[in-house]
Amino acid sequence: KDKICYYTVKWKSVATHITDPKVKTDQPIVYDWDKLEFKKNAKGGSRTILRMPTQSLVELEMHTTQLNEGENSHAPHVHHDEEMMLVRYGKVAEMIIDKSYELGPGSVIYLAPDDLHGIGNAGKEPCEYYAIRWITEKTEVDKK
């Protein structure tokens, strides 16, 4: 029989944490996970990493969401920008258009503009995922 070996890597950042939202985007930005504020809510909680323009994007948004057992992040929705999600831990159910996907740690989800989507916790323990959205000059803007 074939044997499987895997490694878990854990590290602590030695970088200075950037907290100024007006930081210049022509320089690298480093965030220390332990210094990102966890904002608890009834469904679990979240950490805002950044939401700002960059040199090539109108806006880049990155955050994490933690969901308790049985919770959905929000109702299925669409937006004109692209989004990527990376499952950090736990099990999620991601509905994209008319299909549901159960995904675990390390899974990556890409959502094209205007894809109807929604995400929820599909496991018995909390789950957490990164959400990364970007808006370019080509992104259609909602007219309100």
Side-chain angles (χ1 to χ4, degrees), residues 42-72:
K43 295 180 179 187
S46 66
R47 285 179 175 85
T48 299
I49 300 171
L50 65 83
R51 187 172 192 170
M52 62 189 209
T54 69
Q55 288 197 16
S56 60
L57 299 173
V58 173
E59 181 177 283
L60 175 62
E61 178 197 354
M62 297 190 315
H63 68 272
T64 66
T65 297
Q66 184 185 91
L67 295 173
N68 296 327
E69 178 183 354
E71 294 290 347
N72 291 317

Short mmCIF file of all heavy atoms in Angstrom, two decimals, residues 42-72:
data_model
loop_
_atom_site.label_atom_id
_atom_site.label_comp_id
_atom_site.label_asym_id
_atom_site.label_seq_id
_atom_site.Cartn_x
_atom_site.Cartn_y
_atom_site.Cartn_z
N ALA A 42 -23.14 37.35 15.39
CA ALA A 42 -24.01 36.22 15.71
C ALA A 42 -23.72 34.99 14.84
O ALA A 42 -23.94 33.86 15.27
CB ALA A 42 -25.47 36.63 15.55
N LYS A 43 -23.22 35.20 13.64
CA LYS A 43 -22.93 34.08 12.73
C LYS A 43 -21.53 33.52 12.90
O LYS A 43 -21.24 32.44 12.45
CB LYS A 43 -23.10 34.54 11.28
CG LYS A 43 -24.52 34.90 10.93
CD LYS A 43 -24.61 35.34 9.49
CE LYS A 43 -26.03 35.69 9.13
NZ LYS A 43 -26.18 35.96 7.69
N GLY A 44 -20.64 34.26 13.53
CA GLY A 44 -19.24 33.87 13.71
C GLY A 44 -18.39 35.11 13.88
O GLY A 44 -18.24 35.62 14.98
N GLY A 45 -17.87 35.63 12.75
CA GLY A 45 -17.08 36.86 12.83
C GLY A 45 -16.26 37.06 11.57
O GLY A 45 -16.31 36.26 10.63
N SER A 46 -15.49 38.15 11.57
CA SER A 46 -14.67 38.47 10.39
C SER A 46 -13.45 39.28 10.78
O SER A 46 -13.39 39.88 11.85
CB SER A 46 -15.50 39.23 9.36
OG SER A 46 -15.86 40.49 9.87
N ARG A 47 -12.50 39.29 9.87
CA ARG A 47 -11.31 40.13 9.97
C ARG A 47 -11.19 40.90 8.67
O ARG A 47 -11.14 40.31 7.60
CB ARG A 47 -10.04 39.29 10.14
CG ARG A 47 -9.85 38.69 11.49
CD ARG A 47 -8.56 37.86 11.52
NE ARG A 47 -8.30 37.38 12.85
CZ ARG A 47 -8.81 36.26 13.36
NH1 ARG A 47 -9.61 35.51 12.65
NH2 ARG A 47 -8.53 35.90 14.59
N THR A 48 -11.13 42.22 8.74
CA THR A 48 -10.88 43.04 7.56
C THR A 48 -9.38 43.11 7.37
O THR A 48 -8.65 43.48 8.29
CB THR A 48 -11.47 44.45 7.74
OG1 THR A 48 -12.88 44.33 7.92
CG2 THR A 48 -11.17 45.33 6.55
N ILE A 49 -8.92 42.76 6.19
CA ILE A 49 -7.49 42.84 5.89
C ILE A 49 -7.22 44.16 5.19
O ILE A 49 -6.43 44.96 5.66
CB ILE A 49 -7.01 41.63 5.07
CG1 ILE A 49 -7.27 40.35 5.89
CG2 ILE A 49 -5.55 41.77 4.71
CD1 ILE A 49 -7.06 39.06 5.14
N LEU A 50 -7.88 44.41 4.07
CA LEU A 50 -7.75 45.71 3.41
C LEU A 50 -8.91 45.94 2.45
O LEU A 50 -9.56 45.01 2.01
CB LEU A 50 -6.41 45.86 2.68
CG LEU A 50 -6.09 44.98 1.49
CD1 LEU A 50 -6.69 45.52 0.20
CD2 LEU A 50 -4.58 44.93 1.32
N ARG A 51 -9.14 47.20 2.15
CA ARG A 51 -10.11 47.62 1.14
C ARG A 51 -9.67 49.00 0.68
O ARG A 51 -9.91 49.99 1.37
CB ARG A 51 -11.52 47.66 1.71
CG ARG A 51 -12.56 47.93 0.65
CD ARG A 51 -13.97 47.78 1.16
NE ARG A 51 -14.88 47.77 0.04
CZ ARG A 51 -16.15 47.48 0.12
NH1 ARG A 51 -16.67 47.17 1.29
NH2 ARG A 51 -16.91 47.50 -0.94
N MET A 52 -9.00 49.02 -0.50
CA MET A 52 -8.43 50.28 -0.97
C MET A 52 -8.03 50.17 -2.43
O MET A 52 -7.91 49.07 -2.97
CB MET A 52 -7.22 50.64 -0.13
CG MET A 52 -6.10 49.65 -0.19
SD MET A 52 -4.87 50.05 1.04
CE MET A 52 -3.42 49.43 0.23
N PRO A 53 -7.78 51.31 -3.07
CA PRO A 53 -7.25 51.27 -4.43
C PRO A 53 -5.79 50.84 -4.39
O PRO A 53 -5.10 51.02 -3.38
CB PRO A 53 -7.38 52.71 -4.91
CG PRO A 53 -7.72 53.54 -3.75
CD PRO A 53 -8.08 52.65 -2.61
N THR A 54 -5.34 50.24 -5.48
CA THR A 54 -3.93 49.92 -5.65
C THR A 54 -3.46 50.57 -6.94
O THR A 54 -4.24 51.22 -7.63
CB THR A 54 -3.71 48.39 -5.72
OG1 THR A 54 -4.24 47.90 -6.95
CG2 THR A 54 -4.33 47.68 -4.53
N GLN A 55 -2.21 50.36 -7.29
CA GLN A 55 -1.70 50.98 -8.52
C GLN A 55 -2.40 50.46 -9.77
O GLN A 55 -2.51 51.17 -10.76
CB GLN A 55 -0.20 50.77 -8.63
CG GLN A 55 0.54 51.62 -7.64
CD GLN A 55 2.01 51.73 -7.98
OE1 GLN A 55 2.44 51.43 -9.09
NE2 GLN A 55 2.79 52.18 -7.03
N SER A 56 -2.90 49.24 -9.76
CA SER A 56 -3.54 48.69 -10.97
C SER A 56 -5.03 48.41 -10.80
O SER A 56 -5.68 48.04 -11.77
CB SER A 56 -2.83 47.41 -11.40
OG SER A 56 -2.89 46.44 -10.38
N LEU A 57 -5.56 48.59 -9.59
CA LEU A 57 -6.97 48.31 -9.35
C LEU A 57 -7.70 49.53 -8.80
O LEU A 57 -7.13 50.29 -8.00
CB LEU A 57 -7.13 47.16 -8.35
CG LEU A 57 -6.54 45.82 -8.76
CD1 LEU A 57 -6.62 44.83 -7.60
CD2 LEU A 57 -7.24 45.27 -9.98
N VAL A 58 -8.94 49.67 -9.18
CA VAL A 58 -9.78 50.71 -8.60
C VAL A 58 -9.98 50.39 -7.11
O VAL A 58 -9.96 51.28 -6.27
CB VAL A 58 -11.15 50.80 -9.34
CG1 VAL A 58 -12.09 51.75 -8.62
CG2 VAL A 58 -10.93 51.22 -10.78
N GLU A 59 -10.15 49.09 -6.80
CA GLU A 59 -10.28 48.68 -5.40
C GLU A 59 -9.87 47.22 -5.26
O GLU A 59 -10.18 46.39 -6.12
CB GLU A 59 -11.71 48.84 -4.91
CG GLU A 59 -11.90 48.45 -3.45
CD GLU A 59 -13.31 48.69 -2.96
OE1 GLU A 59 -13.64 49.86 -2.71
OE2 GLU A 59 -14.06 47.71 -2.87
N LEU A 60 -9.17 46.92 -4.19
CA LEU A 60 -8.85 45.55 -3.79
C LEU A 60 -9.39 45.38 -2.38
O LEU A 60 -9.11 46.18 -1.49
CB LEU A 60 -7.33 45.31 -3.80
CG LEU A 60 -6.86 43.95 -3.28
CD1 LEU A 60 -7.41 42.81 -4.13
CD2 LEU A 60 -5.34 43.90 -3.23
N GLU A 61 -10.20 44.33 -2.20
CA GLU A 61 -10.75 44.04 -0.87
C GLU A 61 -10.36 42.64 -0.47
O GLU A 61 -10.48 41.70 -1.26
CB GLU A 61 -12.28 44.13 -0.88
CG GLU A 61 -12.87 43.78 0.47
CD GLU A 61 -14.35 43.44 0.44
OE1 GLU A 61 -14.99 43.58 -0.61
OE2 GLU A 61 -14.84 43.02 1.49
N MET A 62 -9.88 42.48 0.76
CA MET A 62 -9.56 41.18 1.31
C MET A 62 -10.05 41.13 2.75
O MET A 62 -9.83 42.06 3.52
CB MET A 62 -8.05 40.91 1.28
CG MET A 62 -7.49 40.87 -0.12
SD MET A 62 -5.77 40.29 -0.29
CE MET A 62 -4.90 41.13 0.99
N HIS A 63 -10.76 40.05 3.07
CA HIS A 63 -11.20 39.83 4.44
C HIS A 63 -11.35 38.33 4.68
O HIS A 63 -11.31 37.55 3.74
CB HIS A 63 -12.53 40.55 4.72
CG HIS A 63 -13.70 39.98 4.00
ND1 HIS A 63 -14.06 40.40 2.72
CD2 HIS A 63 -14.58 39.03 4.34
CE1 HIS A 63 -15.13 39.73 2.33
NE2 HIS A 63 -15.47 38.88 3.28
N THR A 64 -11.49 37.96 5.94
CA THR A 64 -11.83 36.58 6.27
C THR A 64 -13.19 36.57 6.92
O THR A 64 -13.60 37.54 7.57
CB THR A 64 -10.81 35.93 7.24
OG1 THR A 64 -10.88 36.58 8.49
CG2 THR A 64 -9.41 35.97 6.68
N THR A 65 -13.90 35.48 6.73
CA THR A 65 -15.18 35.28 7.40
C THR A 65 -15.13 33.94 8.11
O THR A 65 -14.69 32.94 7.54
CB THR A 65 -16.35 35.27 6.39
OG1 THR A 65 -16.42 36.55 5.76
CG2 THR A 65 -17.68 34.98 7.07
N GLN A 66 -15.56 33.93 9.37
CA GLN A 66 -15.69 32.70 10.13
C GLN A 66 -17.18 32.47 10.35
O GLN A 66 -17.90 33.40 10.73
CB GLN A 66 -14.98 32.82 11.48
CG GLN A 66 -15.00 31.53 12.29
CD GLN A 66 -14.38 31.75 13.65
OE1 GLN A 66 -15.08 32.08 14.60
NE2 GLN A 66 -13.08 31.58 13.74
N LEU A 67 -17.64 31.26 10.06
CA LEU A 67 -19.05 30.92 10.23
C LEU A 67 -19.20 29.78 11.23
O LEU A 67 -18.48 28.79 11.16
CB LEU A 67 -19.67 30.50 8.90
CG LEU A 67 -19.74 31.56 7.81
CD1 LEU A 67 -20.21 30.94 6.50
CD2 LEU A 67 -20.66 32.69 8.24
N ASN A 68 -20.15 29.93 12.14
CA ASN A 68 -20.48 28.87 13.07
C ASN A 68 -21.25 27.77 12.35
O ASN A 68 -21.78 27.98 11.25
CB ASN A 68 -21.33 29.42 14.22
CG ASN A 68 -20.58 30.44 15.04
OD1 ASN A 68 -19.37 30.35 15.21
ND2 ASN A 68 -21.29 31.42 15.56
N GLU A 69 -21.36 26.61 12.98
CA GLU A 69 -22.09 25.48 12.40
C GLU A 69 -23.50 25.91 11.96
O GLU A 69 -24.20 26.61 12.69
CB GLU A 69 -22.20 24.37 13.44
CG GLU A 69 -22.98 23.17 12.96
CD GLU A 69 -23.15 22.11 14.03
OE1 GLU A 69 -22.57 22.23 15.12
OE2 GLU A 69 -23.90 21.15 13.76
N GLY A 70 -23.87 25.53 10.73
CA GLY A 70 -25.20 25.79 10.22
C GLY A 70 -25.46 27.20 9.70
O GLY A 70 -26.55 27.50 9.22
N GLU A 71 -24.48 28.08 9.78
CA GLU A 71 -24.69 29.48 9.37
C GLU A 71 -24.32 29.71 7.90
O GLU A 71 -23.38 29.10 7.39
CB GLU A 71 -23.87 30.43 10.24
CG GLU A 71 -24.28 30.48 11.68
CD GLU A 71 -25.63 31.16 11.91
OE1 GLU A 71 -26.16 31.82 10.98
OE2 GLU A 71 -26.16 31.01 13.02
N ASN A 72 -25.05 30.61 7.27
CA ASN A 72 -24.73 31.10 5.92
C ASN A 72 -24.19 32.51 6.07
O ASN A 72 -24.65 33.27 6.93
CB ASN A 72 -25.96 31.11 5.03
CG ASN A 72 -26.42 29.72 4.69
OD1 ASN A 72 -25.61 28.85 4.39
ND2 ASN A 72 -27.70 29.48 4.78
#
